[in-house]
Amino acid sequence: MREPPLIPINVLTGFLGSGKTTLLNRWVHQTSMANTLMVINEFGAIGLDHQLITQSDEQAVIEMSSGCLCCTLRGDLSRTLQQALEDLEAQDKALPSRVVIETTGLASPTSLLQLLMTDHWLAHRFKLDSVVCCVDAANGMGTLDAHRESQQQVAVAEKLLITKTDLASEETVSQLANRLARLNPAAEQWQVVNGELSADLLVGAGLARHAPYAGTDNDAHKDSQEYQVEKWLKAGSYAVHQSDPLTPRLLTGAPLGSYQLEGSSHSDNIKSFCFSVNELIEPEVLENWLDILMSLMGDKMLRIKAIVHLTDRDTPLALHGVQHIFHPPAPLPKNSVGDRVSRFVFITQNVTPETVAELYRFFHASQEVAQ
């Protein structure tokens, strides 16, 4: 019996006052949000159709007139979602087609992303689709200067919403947009006034598509179309912020140009860059390299995405890590990518591209010597 498809989760983050509540209030009335479960953080409160959902509500799931479902996050996400699905089942209602989770404005969403990877019950029922971050146009620059959590919220997001643009000058909005692009070159940016934005624009950033591809009977082609590798990885976005390429200095004779580093370098502590390896990677090299990165600098590795080609496999692997935690590698169809270059996108806090590159070279060189 075929397993039911995983339910995509969209995480809505952003610092205090960034406009998350206003946005949610607009979304719950959109018809495209029908059969979407919105999980609202217990430290907030949001008025929905004259009902106030707070942590004191006894009813776990409230259905809105649009068909959107809402519940309050009461401390433990896994328990909250289990209770929500049980309530829907008891009411003989269908499972939600997607979930939107609002995080607290005072923390980085990395802990939530880790939970989605490590909690057994969650990992077998849900998949991360995208992280959406709201940034206040009027106060965003000051918030980024004063709060490291705000920088992390921006850095790990796939979509950035610049809110309250009607309260800031064009110059201020432009400066903020440029800074956000340096912090997170791959993220799409949208300017929002009074939460007026279609929810459809904010979904579909995950590695796997949400609906089976029905355009062909060719199984191999069909499998490849169920993934959107380039859209998920967006490695090409980092070419906009190039650093000087590093010349490999290996103990053994790897060809010059085997490695390529592209990324952003700026005054913020966040570093976003892509590290590419042209040759096939030995599994032991990959394992040792990532192990040492995670053990020494895991708390500073905010997010890692990669498409990897190994010497013992004919097909690529997708990797996704958050700080110390890596999701199990996801095998991809052979024709889901156009070449056999391994690309790693790193979003780090105070970890330079040079550090990552030198560690890889060390383990690559050690493997060459051992052979």
Side-chain angles (χ1 to χ4, degrees):
M1 183 176 179
R2 187 173 183 179
E3 292 289 331
L6 299 179
I7 301 172
I9 285 182
N10 299 96
V11 177
L12 179 63
T13 188
F15 209 72
L16 295 174
S18 61
K20 299 191 299 296
T21 298
T22 301
L23 191 66
L24 287 172
N25 263 306
R26 297 295 187 272
W27 280 356
V28 296
H29 298 294
Q30 296 184 18
T31 56
S32 63
M33 297 298 284
N35 203 35
T36 294
L37 175 64
M38 287 192 175
V39 182
I40 301 162
N41 193 275
E42 64 182 350
F43 296 108
I46 179 171
L48 305 172
D49 285 354
H50 308 293
Q51 298 185 38
L52 188 66
I53 297 180
T54 67
Q55 59 182 336
S56 62
D57 288 327
E58 295 181 1
Q59 188 174 10
V61 179
I62 295 177
E63 183 173 357
M64 312 309 300
S65 57
S66 65
C68 180
L69 309 164
C70 296
C71 68
T72 303
L73 179 58
R74 294 174 172 83
D76 184 274
L77 177 64
S78 182
R79 185 171 65 249
T80 295
L81 287 177
Q82 287 186 54
Q83 183 63 55
L85 297 192
E86 288 174 3
D87 287 353
L88 292 173
E89 184 178 5
Q91 300 170 37
D92 199 26
K93 294 182 180 296
L95 294 179
S97 57
R98 68 183 174 196
V99 176
V100 175
I101 301 174
E102 178 211 10
T103 70
T104 174
L106 294 172
S108 169
T110 52
S111 58
L112 190 151
L113 301 185
Q114 286 184 340
L115 182 64
L116 294 177
M117 295 179 179
T118 57
D119 184 281
H120 180 80
W121 187 87
L122 290 173
H124 283 78
R125 289 164 178 82
F126 301 91
K127 62 182 178 182
L128 178 66
D129 178 29
S130 69
V131 179
V132 179
C133 178
C134 295
V135 184
D136 176 359
N139 301 306
M141 293 290 276
T143 301
L144 288 169
D145 289 338
H147 300 281
R148 183 178 63 179
E149 295 84 2
S150 177
Q151 292 185 20
Q152 293 181 354
Q153 290 168 356
V154 169
V156 302
E158 277 87 13
K159 318 268 185 171
L160 298 174
L161 309 184
I162 303 178
T163 61
K164 307 179 184 179
T165 53
D166 56 324
L167 303 180
S169 67
E170 289 186 10
E171 181 181 4
T172 298
V173 173
S174 177
Q175 290 175 349
L176 177 60
N178 288 334
R179 183 171 180 181
L180 296 179
R182 293 195 301 270
L183 276 168
N184 190 339
E188 298 177 12
Q189 291 189 22
W190 302 89
Q191 295 188 17
V192 184
V193 177
N194 294 325
E196 296 293 342
L197 185 71
S198 171
D200 291 336
L201 297 174
L202 307 177
V203 300
L207 177 61
R209 299 183 189 275
H210 299 325
Y213 181 76
T216 179
D217 292 329
N218 184 296
D219 288 341
H221 183 62
K222 178 179 178 179
D223 289 343
S224 68
Q225 293 297 319
E226 290 179 354
Y227 296 91
Q228 45 187 13
V229 175
E230 292 184 5
K231 184 177 180 180
W232 175 72
L233 191 63
K234 288 190 174 179
S237 300
Y238 298 89
V240 176
H241 304 280
Q242 286 190 342
S243 59
D244 294 332
L246 297 177
T247 302
R249 295 185 178 86
L250 298 179
L251 299 178
T252 57
L256 294 179
S258 290
Y259 312 96
Q260 184 178 0
L261 279 168
E262 299 170 339
S264 59
S265 179
H266 41 78
S267 57
D268 290 313
N269 292 328
I270 302 295
K271 305 294 180 185
S272 304
F273 54 93
C274 178
F275 176 56
S276 299
V277 181
N278 293 335
E279 66 268 12
L280 299 182
I281 300 176
E282 293 286 346
E284 186 176 352
V285 172
L286 178 68
E287 182 178 355
N288 291 338
W289 177 50
L290 293 181
D291 278 350
I292 199 68
L293 284 175
M294 295 303 102
S295 62
L296 295 180
M297 294 169 278
D299 59 329
K300 300 178 182 178
M301 295 288 177
L302 302 182
R303 200 168 179 186
I304 302 172
K305 294 180 180 181
I307 302 297
V308 181
H309 298 271
L310 302 177
T311 55
D312 63 346
R313 293 182 58 90
D314 292 330
T315 58
L317 291 175
L319 303 180
H320 182 209
V322 178
Q323 293 183 318
H324 296 279
I325 306 299
F326 261 94
H327 195 278
L332 298 177
K334 188 174 184 178
N335 55 348
S336 60
V337 294
D339 57 33
R340 303 207 71 185
V341 176
S342 295
R343 295 179 175 89
F344 300 82
V345 169
F346 289 91
I347 302 172
T348 72
Q349 187 104 38
N350 288 324
V351 178
T352 66
E354 292 78 9
T355 299
V356 170
E358 291 297 340
L359 282 172
Y360 177 83
R361 291 169 186 163
F362 171 79
F363 287 109
H364 180 86
S366 299
Q367 181 71 20
E368 290 288 318
V369 170
Q371 293 177 349

